[in-house]
Amino acid sequence: MGYELQAVIAKDEVLRGASRDLPAAQVASIGQGLSLIPMTDQLFDAATDGTEGPPGFWRLPGGFDKRLADWSAAGAVAYVEAEYFGGVGEQHAAVWADGAVVLGPLHVLEGQPFGSAGSPISQALRRLGVVADAATDEFATVELDRHRHSEDWIA
């Protein structure tokens, strides 16, 4: 069974305020005061400026990184991607704060181990303030494994 996630993650109030100008954006709570906006087909189409997205990401629309930088004036914002099938896959993440990239882009490709800092998504969540206990990582702490597909967060 597969798992995929492409989403913007930030404090709930940051995403709810920032997404007002983007009707295709739907916000879902994930825990520890954070929410996510899944990168649905509708959001991708509404958010792209027609250019190619930044290298290293599958579903970050062209020009959307500029919007994330703008949104980060109100608080740190992450864009994350993960895709797994049968326990094998990839993760990508970046974090913006105060209008600039402050983490990443981080990439762990298929077959590569996570470094001592953890997965790209866990590092991004940590930068957003997620606190994990000793038994789990930040990804599991906010239960990003709760749904197997991005769209399921808003279903």
Side-chain angles (χ1 to χ4, degrees), residues 83-101:
E83 187 171 281
Y84 287 89
F85 188 83
V88 177
E90 300 181 13
Q91 281 193 22
H92 310 271
V95 177
W96 289 257
D98 299 318
V101 174

Side-chain angles (χ1 to χ4, degrees), residues 16-39:
R16 293 197 187 277
S19 65
R20 285 189 193 117
D21 67 338
L22 199 56
Q26 298 184 41
V27 180
S29 293
I30 61 172
Q32 291 201 12
L34 297 178
S35 289
L36 63 74
I37 297 175
M39 185 55 66

